[in-house]
Amino acid sequence: MAETPTMEDNKQRKWKRKGTPSSSARINNLDDGCLMHIFSFLSPIPDRYNTALVCHRWRYLACHPRLWLRVERSIKDLSESGVFPTVEAAVAAARPGDTILIATGGVHSVSNIQITKPLCLIGGGELPEETTLFCSRGSESALEFLCTSKLSNLTVKAELGCCLLHRKGRLIIDGCVLQCESNPLDYLSCPIVCTASPDKLSSSSVKGGYADGVSVSQTRIEGGAKAILTSEDLALRHVRVIYARTALFFWFDVEHKLQ
């Protein structure tokens, strides 16, 4: 004889028919501040970038200037918060710890831009060749680092001078292309990555968990008689250096732990 369904059984069947709310529905019940805090733990590329594709609300929060600043050469509305027409303007407006996303398309002019606060500069393309920072002649360097910073997914090209001049802090270069003039005069040729001479740089010391030095990984360095000149700690990991004049290829797989 079949058992008569109890009231509790009927409740369970009704709950199963309704189903449970999806994870996206639950997370969307959070307020904007909570969601933005969650997004802040995501890596800018590709995770945080991908969250902006979910919906209009997530795009607004994922692109909020509290999480990162954007550089777009073609911007017309300069009143838009967190968006700047030049790298120099974005660096000046950035707060310590900010991430600056540099848009693809065209060439961004940079010249002796000093990085005096911890920043992360990232190219917005899938490949570093899609986002180019160009430094014309007459400048000592494209970017000069006086504070712990990171450069990722970018092409930096200097006509005559250093692409990157490191003076202080820990500089991390990851997944970039660094280029200088392929055939400069020998007596004018400059290293592509250079650290300041000891008389211009205080002795290396650990401050806030960071050590002064340069770390280069998954990066291609092209052109010039000298690739890297350093008087500080240097770590090279899977770095490809091309000396264009002789068409010789130098492969580095060296790891020197920063002190």
Side-chain angles (χ1 to χ4, degrees), residues 67-233:
L67 297 183
W68 58 14
L69 307 180
R70 305 201 317 273
V71 176
E72 297 181 8
R73 294 174 61 254
S74 58
I75 183 173
K76 296 180 180 178
D77 183 8
L78 296 178
S79 64
E80 185 176 348
S81 177
V83 185
F84 302 89
T86 65
V87 176
E88 186 173 14
V91 168
R95 300 164 301 176
D98 274 351
T99 296
I100 298 176
L101 180 70
I102 303 173
T104 60
V107 175
H108 301 269
S109 297
V110 292
S111 178
N112 294 330
I113 297 179
Q114 289 190 337
I115 311 296
T116 59
K117 45 200 165 187
L119 294 177
C120 180
L121 279 67
I122 297 181
E126 294 184 5
L127 299 172
E129 290 85 356
E130 295 178 30
T131 311
T132 300
L133 308 184
F134 181 75
C135 178
S136 60
R137 295 192 178 203
S139 301
E140 186 178 11
S141 65
L143 299 170
E144 181 180 350
F145 294 89
L146 295 94
C147 192
T148 294
S149 297
K150 181 177 181 179
L151 205 69
S152 179
N153 198 39
L154 287 167
T155 293
V156 183
K157 185 172 183 178
E159 278 191 318
L160 188 60
C162 297
C163 289
L164 307 176
L165 176 57
H166 167 262
R167 293 195 183 277
K168 192 176 181 181
R170 185 181 182 186
L171 174 59
I172 299 174
I173 305 166
D174 179 50
C176 292
V177 177
L178 307 179
Q179 302 173 326
C180 78
E181 187 173 312
S182 59
N183 290 303
L185 297 174
D186 286 337
Y187 68 92
L188 289 177
S189 61
C190 296
I192 297 174
V193 180
C194 180
T195 64
S197 58
D199 60 335
K200 296 181 180 179
L201 185 66
S202 60
S203 59
S204 297
S205 60
V206 178
K207 296 178 180 179
Y210 294 101
D212 288 349
V214 179
S215 176
V216 187
S217 61
Q218 305 294 336
T219 292
R220 190 169 78 247
I221 301 176
E222 301 179 356
K226 292 177 270 187
I228 296 176
L229 175 64
T230 179
S231 61
E232 281 299 302
D233 291 327

Side-chain angles (χ1 to χ4, degrees), residues 40-62:
S40 69
F41 292 101
L42 301 176
S43 60
I45 301 291
D47 298 329
R48 201 186 301 163
Y49 181 84
N50 289 337
T51 61
L53 305 178
V54 174
C55 62
H56 290 294
R57 182 190 180 208
W58 283 32
R59 176 180 175 81
Y60 170 77
L61 297 177

